[in-house]
Amino acid sequence: MTVSNPLSYLSEQLESWRQAGTYQRLRQLESPCEPVSRFDGREVINLASNNYLGLANHPKLVEAAIAAARKYGAGSGAVRTISGTMSIHMELEHRIAAFKKVEACVVFQSGFAANAGTVSAILGPEDHIVSDELNHASIIDGCRLSRAKIHVFPHKDAARAEAILAELASASGRKLLITDGVFSMDGDIGPLPALVEAAEKHGAIMMIDDAHSSGVLGRNGRGTVDHFGMHGRVGIQVGTLSKAVGVLGGYVCGSKDLIEFLYHRARPFLFSTSHPPAVAAACLAAFDILEQEPERIERLWDNTRYFKAALHGAGFSTGQSETPITPIMVGEAAAAHQFSRELFEEGVYSTGIGFPTVAKGKARIRAMVSAAHTRDMLDRAVEILTRVGKRMGLLTAQSV
Ligand SMILES: *Cc1c(COP(=O)(O)O)cnc(C)c1O
């Protein structure tokens, strides 16, 4: 008897991606995450990490992690609601709440878990979600898990979001208006003030995902709400500990009752083990640095302006970006992946991004600037980008 492989369709799909030039091998990082890192045996300028402030390998974070592992062990032993709430987890939550100037905070295992766990916990099938079309996958999954009705508005179109809320005025159920603070693929900033006004006018809950704004926007990196001066007007703020903070995790900030509700109902909190103590300790050390060294954030923004000006001078388009997330528009996905591979050979690592992560025809490489890059590294990166871009005909075809 010949046994057919019921998973063979996966192999066929992989083969079609190979044919299309969109198959991606995982590159292996063989050094700490630094502005120049070793991937696959090669030293390259690292424009592919979210380590905005250079904290991922900062000695103070590393030492804090080691000390916590020595003192409290490698693992927490349980989910938060059973016996896995260590005092250092509570210390981190109190620290973040104070930093963000809110009543309370809950830390999740990741930003993904924070979004998906929160939206699915607070809403049900009778409720409505009004969501930007470019919101992050973790928001989309949380919306789906909640089984609420999802109303998608065109990217950053606050007027359309308001119109949807107005149309829902007589509908029963709760309403949630949700946006990314900074959009992860385009690097543009959500129109928070207009969205908050729409939410207030129609009694909707306002939620913002500040994954790429945490440590980047606002005073000392307090995020989009601080950047726009909207303290007290956004009911739910999500942030991440995995990007600028340099470690791992996600958090939700808001009222004490919101946080206590999530302690009781957010499924990743209830059903998945808490962070190792080393993670919480390293995050605490990162918040010390955010508070004591705001000049790191200045350097991040200086580098961002410098790098973008050089790219524009060379003839590249960086799309709608307003932040250190720097898309370099290419067009077709296969070309973006090819560009990324050729750059790597020349000493720059910047990932290619195509459909389904971004719309068809809007493929790009995404260059992430950090505070830790030197001017010399950025100069070299632009020189290599320009050389490879010219060779591939990307600079002449570029019209956007
Ligand atoms: C990265 C990201 C997340 C997920 O954060 P992790 O901590 O890496 O899980 C959530 N939302 C947005 C907008 C992101 O860019």
Side-chain angles (χ1 to χ4, degrees), residues 326-349:
T326 310
I328 300 175
M329 307 311 281
V330 172
E332 294 311 314
H337 293 303
Q338 175 74 12
F339 192 22
S340 172
R341 280 191 296 270
E342 294 199 17
L343 287 169
F344 188 80
E345 294 305 315
E346 307 267 345
V348 169
Y349 187 24

Side-chain angles (χ1 to χ4, degrees), residues 64-229:
I66 291 168
R70 289 240 158 79
K71 190 162 175 197
Y72 300 111
S76 72
V79 303
R80 290 284 304 271
T81 48
I82 307 288
S83 63
T85 294
M86 303 180 96
S87 44
I88 199 163
H89 294 134
M90 296 311 294
E91 188 185 341
L92 178 60
E93 291 183 345
H94 293 144
R95 181 71 184 272
I96 298 171
F99 179 75
K100 298 280 282 188
K101 305 183 190 293
V102 293
E103 275 179 26
C105 169
V106 50
V107 170
F108 285 84
Q109 298 86 353
S110 68
F112 197 108
N115 274 326
T118 298
V119 178
S120 59
I122 63 168
L123 297 181
E126 62 289 350
D127 300 325
H128 296 270
I129 298 168
V130 182
S131 175
D132 188 290
E133 65 178 338
L134 294 189
N135 276 345
H136 190 259
S138 54
I139 292 179
I140 296 170
D141 286 10
C143 294
R144 290 178 180 160
L145 284 168
S146 76
R147 294 185 291 144
K149 287 171 209 69
I150 302 165
H151 310 264
V152 173
F153 62 89
H155 184 46
K156 288 179 52 166
D157 189 343
R160 185 65 202 130
E162 216 236 283
I164 295 170
L165 286 171
E167 287 160 21
L168 291 170
S170 58
S172 61
R174 299 176 183 88
K175 287 119 198 174
L176 171 73
L177 178 54
I178 186 162
T179 185
D180 279 11
V182 170
F183 289 86
S184 52
M185 294 301 142
D186 291 279
D188 50 347
I189 300 174
L192 191 64
L195 291 174
V196 165
E197 285 197 8
E200 287 173 347
K201 188 166 162 193
H202 297 284
I205 304 158
M206 184 73 222
M207 175 164 170
I208 186 153
D209 174 7
D210 257 347
H212 279 285
S213 341
S214 312
V216 173
L217 278 177
R219 286 168 298 160
N220 302 79
R222 286 183 170 81
T224 319
V225 168
D226 190 80
H227 172 74
F228 284 115

Side-chain angles (χ1 to χ4, degrees), residues 231-248:
H231 287 282
R233 296 176 69 186
V234 175
I236 307 177
Q237 295 183 60
V238 171
T240 185
L241 304 168
S242 322
K243 290 174 176 148
V245 174
V247 193
L248 171 70

Side-chain angles (χ1 to χ4, degrees), residues 295-308 369 375 378:
E295 60 273 15
R296 277 179 185 269
I297 300 173
E298 278 308 307
R299 204 149 64 233
L300 169 66
W301 284 92
D302 279 347
N303 278 349
T304 298
R305 284 185 285 269
Y306 181 82
F307 183 63
K308 280 185 178 165
V369 182
R375 286 293 156 95
L378 296 176

